[in-house]
Amino acid sequence: MMQENAEKGQPATSTAALAQDTGINEHKLEAVLEFMAARHLVDHISYKEFAPDKLTRLLLTPLVMDGVLFHDHFTPSFKALNSFLSSPGQRSTAFQLAHNMSGGIYDMQQAHPEMARAFQNYLQLEHSYLPSWLNVVDFQSEFAENTCTDTVLFVDVGGGNGQQCVNLLTEYPNMKGRVILQDTPSVVQDALPHNRVERMGYDYFTEQPVKGEMWYPWKRRCGLWLTVYLIDSHYRCKGLSLPTNLS
């Protein structure tokens, strides 16, 4: 409700004006805004008049707004985890049980493109505030000393918009080898443009099509899946079968 006001830099607005702009009942708006003001989420300027404050503007940043949708993907899964573990026959995963669906997160994102955009935007923004792994890994000397243009060098599995691939090639523009971005087709088609990044639509619960010695930068997002799936993916990456005691 306060987003337009904050973007325009207006110092304050009345609940009557907000009600007219949003179509929300004015009395309900007053109750909500008074609640927000009590928690310092907005400033209560005068009777029926409110203004955005620093915290309001922080909450309106893409990192927070997309982050809310991002966590809407996963928080219900943690809530459903106990029920899923006690009665695993209900669904195949806690995610399915939490969202009452037979598919997975990518099926949900295909049905709700706005959630898919928020998911990718949040991951990109979150990593932009964190130190890069390239600050501590000398990739050239450790992995690319004796490579050629056909060497499969770097495969970013579930790599989103390809930010890590582009960062690597920006840091080492003369490094020889193939750099491959893998994610769902709908994600890789909107990846960051770079003439050396190979885009590959891939479901990492299926056999890994790229084989050989290479660097797989498994991200934190993979930790959202059960460990057995990560082990399974690791074996697929190496072209091996999952041990029977883990299947």
Side-chain angles (χ1 to χ4, degrees):
M1 293 179 291
M2 306 296 287
Q3 184 169 10
E4 184 177 351
N5 224 42
E7 289 173 350
K8 291 181 178 179
Q10 296 176 357
T13 191
S14 67
T15 52
L18 277 175
Q20 183 177 359
D21 291 342
T22 63
I24 301 174
N25 180 276
E26 183 177 355
H27 297 297
K28 291 181 179 179
L29 276 174
E30 288 177 25
V32 170
L33 289 168
E34 287 175 359
F35 176 85
M36 294 174 66
R39 283 151 182 78
H40 309 289
L41 299 174
V42 296
D43 279 338
H44 197 169
I45 304 300
S46 62
Y47 179 63
K48 293 188 177 182
E49 192 175 34
F50 298 84
D53 59 14
K54 290 182 179 180
L55 188 53
T56 312
R57 293 181 173 86
L58 174 64
L59 294 174
L60 292 173
T61 61
L63 179 64
V64 175
M65 295 185 71
D66 289 335
V68 170
L69 283 175
F70 173 87
H71 286 94
D72 281 349
H73 277 79
F74 303 111
T75 302
S77 301
F78 291 106
K79 291 173 130 180
L81 186 59
N82 186 59
S83 177
F84 170 74
L85 292 175
S86 61
S87 304
Q90 302 174 79
R91 294 284 183 173
S92 298
T93 65
F95 183 91
Q96 291 180 353
L97 180 62
H99 295 280
N100 192 28
M101 61 184 297
S102 58
I105 182 173
Y106 295 115
D107 299 298
M108 175 181 281
Q109 289 184 0
Q110 286 181 354
H112 301 281
E114 73 285 355
M115 294 188 77
R117 285 190 293 271
F119 181 84
Q120 296 299 331
N121 289 342
Y122 175 76
L123 289 176
Q124 181 181 357
L125 288 166
E126 183 192 39
H127 284 289
S128 70
Y129 289 99
L130 299 174
S132 171
W133 59 277
L134 290 167
N135 294 338
V136 295
V137 176
D138 187 343
F139 196 91
Q140 177 80 52
S141 64
E142 293 191 37
F143 303 101
E145 277 295 297
N146 300 303
T147 57
C148 63
T149 55
D150 294 328
T151 302
V152 178
L153 187 63
F154 183 87
V155 181
D156 195 352
V157 183
N161 70 347
Q163 183 180 18
Q164 300 302 324
C165 294
V166 173
N167 289 347
L168 176 64
L169 291 170
T170 301
E171 184 74 18
Y172 302 102
N174 299 318
M175 182 175 60
K176 294 180 180 179
R178 295 171 60 194
V179 174
I180 302 171
L181 167 66
Q182 291 183 337
D183 213 304
T184 59
S186 60
V187 172
V188 296
Q189 71 180 4
D190 296 323
L192 297 172
H194 197 289
N195 60 359
R196 285 192 57 193
V197 177
E198 301 177 36
R199 304 182 189 186
M200 182 181 297
Y202 171 58
D203 175 0
Y204 57 71
F205 291 123
T206 62
E207 184 172 352
Q208 171 59 251
V210 181
K211 304 293 194 300
E213 295 298 325
M214 62 197 83
W215 175 270
Y216 288 94
W218 288 101
K219 287 191 178 58
R220 180 179 58 82
R221 77 177 69 179
C222 291
L224 298 166
W225 301 102
L226 294 174
T227 304
V228 66
Y229 286 123
L230 295 183
I231 298 172
D232 181 33
S233 297
H234 172 75
Y235 274 81
R236 292 182 191 279
C237 290
K238 299 302 181 183
L240 302 173
S241 299
L242 186 68
T244 54
N245 63 331
L246 290 176
S247 59

